[in-house]
Amino acid sequence: MANKNDNKSLFLYTSLIFIVAILLIILSFSGQINLQKNRTQIESNSENQNSGITERAAVLSEENKNLIEENNKLKAENKELQEKQTINDILLSANGYFILGDNAKAYEMINAVIYDNLSADQKIIYDNIKSGIDKAE
């Protein structure tokens, strides 16, 4: 027959395995509950983020549209300023030639400018140079 101590150790091993099995069942059950809670929180957060992303995309799209319109306005304004600067440069050069006494070159530069496209200040400069050239001749 088996020894009485062998039966005790076999009983202890069996009870230890049973206790570990129960602990594993409890841990897995609580882990499953936590996973389900976290999954629902993550799903609700992702839905909120998706709607938040959509709203931000709409806002950014509207801002982008406004910036494109502003950019087009600024490009048109820049073009006008460049044209005005070109005319100013021509008038300045014509005035310089007039002052130096090269009336032919000044007259040539003045004729390159379209009078109707000039601003009020530019017309004053144009008229002064033109009248000065006419008086000199």
Side-chain angles (χ1 to χ4, degrees):
M1 286 226 118
N3 190 353
K4 197 174 189 183
N5 285 336
D6 286 342
N7 285 339
K8 277 186 180 179
S9 64
L10 188 61
F11 177 75
L12 286 175
Y13 286 133
T14 306
S15 64
L16 182 64
I17 290 172
F18 182 72
I19 291 172
V20 169
I22 291 176
L23 287 175
L24 286 175
I25 291 170
I26 292 171
L27 287 175
S28 66
F29 181 73
S30 65
Q32 184 178 4
I33 291 173
N34 285 335
L35 279 176
Q36 287 176 346
K37 285 180 184 177
N38 289 340
R39 183 177 295 148
T40 56
Q41 288 175 352
I42 289 172
E43 288 173 356
S44 66
N45 285 342
S46 67
E47 288 174 3
N48 290 340
Q49 286 177 348
N50 287 341
S51 65
I53 289 172
T54 304
E55 290 172 6
R56 281 185 266 152
V59 168
L60 289 176
S61 176
E62 185 67 27
E63 288 177 1
N64 189 31
K65 180 181 169 186
N66 292 339
L67 287 174
I68 288 172
E69 289 174 4
E70 185 177 345
N71 188 27
N72 290 336
K73 289 177 187 176
L74 289 174
K75 283 181 181 180
E77 187 178 318
N78 189 33
K79 185 178 178 182
E80 291 174 9
L81 288 174
Q82 286 176 342
E83 290 171 358
K84 188 174 182 179
Q85 182 62 40
T86 302
I87 293 171
N88 284 340
D89 290 343
I90 291 171
L91 291 174
L92 181 64
S93 297
N95 191 42
Y97 284 121
F98 172 70
I99 291 172
L100 291 175
D102 191 355
N103 292 340
K105 187 68 173 172
Y107 189 75
E108 178 185 329
M109 295 192 87
I110 286 274
N111 283 335
V113 176
I114 300 171
Y115 187 77
D116 294 333
N117 293 345
L118 299 177
S119 67
D121 295 335
Q122 291 173 335
K123 285 180 180 180
I124 293 170
I125 296 170
Y126 180 92
D127 291 338
N128 286 339
I129 297 170
K130 185 98 168 162
S131 65
I133 293 172
D134 291 341
K135 287 179 185 177
E137 292 179 354

